[in-house]
Amino acid sequence: MRYIEPHAHMVSRVTDDYRAMVTAGCVAVCEPAFWAGFDRSSAAGFYDYFCQLTSHEPKRAAQFGLAHYCWLCINPKEAEDLTLAREVLALIPKFLDRSNVLGIGEIGLNKNSRNELKVLEQHVDLAARHDQLILVHTPHLEDKRKGTRLTLEVLRNDRRIRPERCIIDHVEEHTIQMVLDAGFWAGMTLYPETKCTAARAVDMVERYGSERLWMNSACDWGVSVPLAVPYAALEMRRRGHSAEAVDRMIYQNPLRFLGQCPNFKPPAAVA
Ligand SMILES: [Zn+2]
C-alpha cells in the first residue's frame, strides 16, 4: 500500500508516528497551519510557527524518508482578533516562496462569526493574488452546514477563484453534496470520536464516488489516529473495493489535487 497523508499536524506528533506512517506506506505528509491548542499571544508566535512548518518539520520528516509539505494561514479560531489577523496575514507572503509551501490553509470558519468571515475573505484574496491553492476547514462545533454554505459563498463570490483548486475539508454526510456540486474537492477527516469514522467515509465513497475526494487523519494534539488513512483503506478492501480503487482514493487523488501546486513533487521524483 502507498498513500499520501494530505492533512496532519505533525508538529504535535512524536517520531514513532512518523515511523509508523512510513511503515504503513506513507510517501508524503502535508501539514496545514492550525491552532496550537492555545491562543498565540502575538504575530511573532506565528512567525516562529511558520519557520517550524517550512524549515524544521521537513527536516524531522526527512529523517524517516518522508516528504513534508505545509499550508499557511491564521486559523479561524484566532481570526476573531482582527488586528492579530492583519499582522499574521502580512507575514505570509514572505514564506510563500519556501519550497514546501502548497498554498493557503486551513482557513475557514469556526463559529461562523462576522470577524471570521472577514478574515476568510482576506485569506481568499491573498490566495488569489499569489495564485495559491486553498484548503478550507469547515466548523464542527457550531453549525457545519451553515459554515460550509457561507464558505462556498465567499469562494464563489471571488471570480478569481477556481473551485478545482480548492479543497473543502471535514465534510460529512450533510455537506459533501453541496461541495461536490459546486465543483470543489472534498476532504473526509477520519476521527475516532467526532467528524467521520472509516465506515462512514467508505459509505460516502460508495454513495458519491471518488472523483474529487480524499481522506485524511488530521492527527494533531488531541484524540486522533495518525494511521487513520491506511485503516480506512483496509475498510475499503474488506468491503471488496479493488486495490486500484484504494490506490486512487488514498494516493492518486491527493496527487492529482496537490500536483496543481508546482512545489508538490510526485513521490517518485522525491526519492
Ligand atoms: Zn487540521
Side-chain angles (χ1 to χ4, degrees):
M1 196 190 311
R2 59 178 180 174
Y3 77 99
I4 293 167
E5 171 54 81
H7 187 150
H9 301 289
M10 299 309 292
V11 303
S12 307
R13 309 304 306 197
V14 296
T15 49
D16 279 359
D17 295 325
Y18 270 123
R19 190 166 54 183
M21 288 163 72
V22 171
T23 305
C26 188
V27 291
V29 62
C30 311
E31 177 151 6
F34 184 46
W35 189 52
F38 57 91
D39 289 344
R40 297 170 180 90
S41 61
S42 69
F46 281 88
Y47 179 88
D48 288 345
Y49 179 46
F50 295 159
C51 289
Q52 185 179 19
L53 290 178
T54 55
S55 171
H56 176 71
E57 203 58 35
K59 288 187 198 127
R60 206 160 77 98
Q63 289 175 10
F64 300 87
L66 192 57
H68 177 280
Y69 298 92
C70 71
W71 301 75
L72 303 174
C73 74
I74 175 170
N75 63 87
K77 230 174 150 63
E78 283 159 299
E80 198 54 52
D81 180 341
L82 292 178
T83 307
L84 177 66
R86 191 173 54 240
E87 289 170 6
V88 175
L89 275 150
L91 287 176
I92 293 174
K94 296 185 188 69
F95 288 89
L96 290 179
D97 61 354
R98 301 278 175 105
S99 63
N100 74 330
V101 175
L102 298 173
I104 301 299
E106 53 187 295
I107 57 173
L109 300 171
N110 180 46
K111 292 184 172 165
N112 302 334
S113 76
R114 196 182 295 247
N115 283 0
E116 287 171 12
L117 263 172
K118 207 174 278 179
V119 176
L120 172 62
E121 286 168 353
Q122 291 167 358
H123 276 113
V124 171
D125 174 64
L126 180 72
R129 280 190 285 115
H130 294 272
D131 197 26
Q132 297 289 310
L133 298 179
I134 291 176
L135 190 155
V136 174
H137 158 105
T138 50
H140 45 100
L141 299 175
E142 299 295 320
D143 186 343
K144 181 182 282 287
R145 184 193 277 277
K146 181 179 170 202
T148 305
R149 189 174 50 72
L150 289 171
T151 304
L152 296 185
E153 268 171 30
V154 169
L155 291 167
R156 280 194 290 213
N157 284 343
D158 193 321
R159 302 183 70 89
R160 300 166 296 176
I161 298 300
R162 285 157 44 203
E164 70 273 17
R165 288 173 58 80
C166 307
I167 183 145
I168 314 300
D169 214 341
H170 319 320
V171 296
E172 291 179 21
E173 291 83 349
H174 59 308
T175 57
I176 183 171
Q177 182 90 61
M178 71 168 113
V179 169
L180 294 175
D181 284 352
F184 295 92
W185 279 73
M188 297 181 294
T189 296
L190 305 160
Y191 263 22
E193 291 168 2
T194 57
K195 294 180 181 143
C196 183
T197 61
R200 284 170 56 200
V202 181
D203 285 348
M204 282 191 266
V205 173
E206 289 169 353
R207 173 138 187 225
Y208 297 99
S210 59
E211 175 66 21
R212 275 176 281 114
L213 205 53
W214 80 23
M215 293 176 177
N216 59 68
S217 75
C219 58
D220 56 19
W221 36 261
V223 177
S224 49
V225 180
L227 293 183
V229 171
Y231 291 168
L234 293 180
E235 173 66 10
M236 284 183 77
R237 292 294 281 158
R238 193 185 67 78
R239 293 197 197 182
H241 291 264
S242 68
E244 164 61 20
V246 171
D247 189 66
R248 197 181 320 126
M249 188 68 228
I250 64 175
Y251 178 78
Q252 295 172 40
N253 275 7
L255 186 61
R256 210 149 45 86
F257 178 78
L258 299 168
Q260 297 180 92
C261 172
N263 281 349
F264 191 85
K265 306 283 182 261
V270 173

